[in-house]
Amino acid sequence: MNTDFIKGVIVPIITPIDEEELIDEAALRDQVDYVIDGGVLGILAFGSNGEFYMVEEDEMERGLKIMVSQAAGRVPVYFGIGAINTKKCVRLAKMAVANGASGISVLQPMFLKPTEEELFLHFKTIADAVPDTPMLLYNNPGRVGYTMSSKLVGRLAHEVENIVGMKDTSGDITQLQEFIRVTRDIDFRIFGGKDTLLYASMCHGAVGGVCTAANFMPELITDIYNKYVAGDLQASLEAQLKLNPVRLSMDGASFPVAAKDMAKLRGRKIGEPYRPNLSTPEGPVLDKIRTEMQKAGLL
């Protein structure tokens, strides 16, 4: 299985919505062009910042079709799966492949806390349902309440042919390093999942990052990657240090509204900025975001 294309900055693309909370097609197509023009090497549909937990299956299918159509082969489009039920994950995986996804990314089940054996069976069942499609694991302990172990990841990587990589959003460099260590004897592609640790992740052997910041400052986050792969490590580090205050300013807002609001501050037309039950940042939080964006030359 060719996995050479699995690298670089992949954007967990935001999902623009209209007043009816349906996908705003024009805004989504424009966002696809914007991130590709900004230098990303992949688009992740319905990742955490893409609000997979808020979108019905039929809308997910419509959104994926829009993204694949607009990307038009310029970059791969991956499909994010965050369901608890294995059968639903399989259904979504097959739907994604049928609609042109280049790969799938699968989050560990939330709310439940499966055993290692149960997790192995869950991921293997999904991968086996789409055997010719690359599958990435998605470790996000901060959202689901537990982490994948390096033992589990190593076993999946070595025993399931089309599980070919992962995104680690633990923010724990030691853990990311362990994932790399246990898979270093095979072509297993690991992405950092924290924008602020892209440089550090690549220093330890990651092939890139899945980066929220690419939704509203793609030129800055891809600069870190491009300078690193060109061998200019000092310039890459400087680019990382420039980006970090902007990215950290998001943490004062509730997840995941800040990415849309920061895109809006940059003049992006992203449809309705948030859903009725998610409030936009204001007051000191918005002031901090705006200040850091101005310091970075984004406004």
Side-chain angles (χ1 to χ4, degrees):
M1 177 175 292
N2 179 25
T3 60
D4 291 346
F5 67 93
I6 303 175
K7 62 182 179 182
V9 172
I10 295 175
V11 58
I13 198 165
I14 55 177
T15 306
I17 58 169
D18 61 22
E19 293 179 353
E20 301 299 321
E21 294 192 49
L22 299 175
I23 292 170
D24 184 327
E25 179 173 348
L28 181 55
R29 288 186 181 277
D30 187 63
Q31 184 67 7
V32 168
D33 286 341
Y34 174 72
V35 297
I36 292 175
D37 291 344
V40 304
L41 295 185
I43 291 172
L44 172 62
F46 305 109
S48 297
N49 270 277
E51 302 174 89
F52 69 86
Y53 35 82
M54 301 290 272
V55 184
E56 299 295 339
E57 284 187 45
D58 58 342
E59 274 295 279
M60 281 188 173
E61 183 170 14
R62 186 170 79 90
L64 177 61
K65 287 178 178 179
I66 292 168
M67 287 181 244
V68 170
S69 167
Q70 193 66 24
R74 290 175 289 172
V75 299
V77 177
Y78 305 84
F79 183 80
I81 298 174
I84 298 173
N85 183 281
T86 306
K87 185 177 180 180
K88 180 177 180 179
C89 291
V90 167
R91 183 170 67 247
L92 287 170
K94 290 181 176 179
M95 180 275 288
V97 173
N99 286 286
S102 298
I104 58 172
S105 170
V106 184
L107 179 67
Q108 72 261 54
M110 61 190 75
F111 187 72
L112 307 176
K113 191 175 181 180
T115 65
E116 294 266 298
E117 194 60 36
E118 289 167 342
L119 280 172
F120 178 85
L121 181 60
H122 174 74
F123 287 120
K124 184 178 185 301
T125 300
I126 299 165
D128 287 348
V130 287
D132 298 321
T133 300
M135 173 170 150
L136 306 177
L137 306 172
Y138 175 16
N139 184 49
N140 194 338
R143 294 292 167 192
V144 306
Y146 65 95
T147 190
M148 295 184 205
S149 71
S150 58
K151 180 180 178 181
L152 172 66
V153 170
R155 184 183 172 196
L156 286 164
H158 286 87
E159 296 184 24
V160 185
E161 185 176 359
N162 62 318
I163 295 182
V164 297
M166 75 178 300
K167 171 191 175 184
D168 175 43
T169 309
S170 69
D172 183 337
I173 285 294
T174 300
Q175 184 171 31
L176 181 139
Q177 188 180 56
E178 280 297 286
F179 291 142
I180 292 170
R181 182 183 66 81
V182 300
T183 57
R184 70 191 185 283
D185 59 325
I186 57 176
D187 184 18
F188 191 78
R189 298 185 167 239
I190 295 179
F191 291 87
K194 293 287 188 182
D195 297 10
T196 52
L197 295 174
L198 176 57
Y199 174 83
S201 298
M202 294 184 69
C203 285
H204 286 278
V207 297
V210 181
C211 302
T212 301
N215 276 296
F216 55 87
M217 50 179 178
E219 67 274 30
L220 292 190
I221 193 77
T222 58
D223 197 37
I224 300 167
Y225 174 81
N226 291 334
K227 286 175 176 172
Y228 187 93
V229 297
D232 194 344
L233 302 190
Q234 186 59 44
S236 177
L237 176 59
E238 290 301 322
Q240 180 75 77
L241 296 178
K242 180 179 180 180
L243 175 135
N244 283 5
V246 184
R247 180 61 182 84
L248 290 170
S249 73
M250 296 176 68
D251 294 343
S254 62
F255 178 84
V257 299
K260 286 185 175 180
D261 283 292
M262 293 170 89
K264 191 176 180 182
L265 283 171
R266 293 210 73 194
R268 304 292 306 133
K269 295 180 180 179
I270 54 159
E272 293 297 303
Y274 55 89
R275 296 174 191 274
N277 60 329
L278 292 171
S279 59
T280 190
E282 52 189 30
V285 173
L286 183 58
D287 290 343
K288 177 66 172 176
I289 288 172
R290 186 180 285 112
T291 296
E292 296 301 339
M293 292 180 76
Q294 287 171 338
K295 288 180 180 177
L298 297 169
L299 299 180

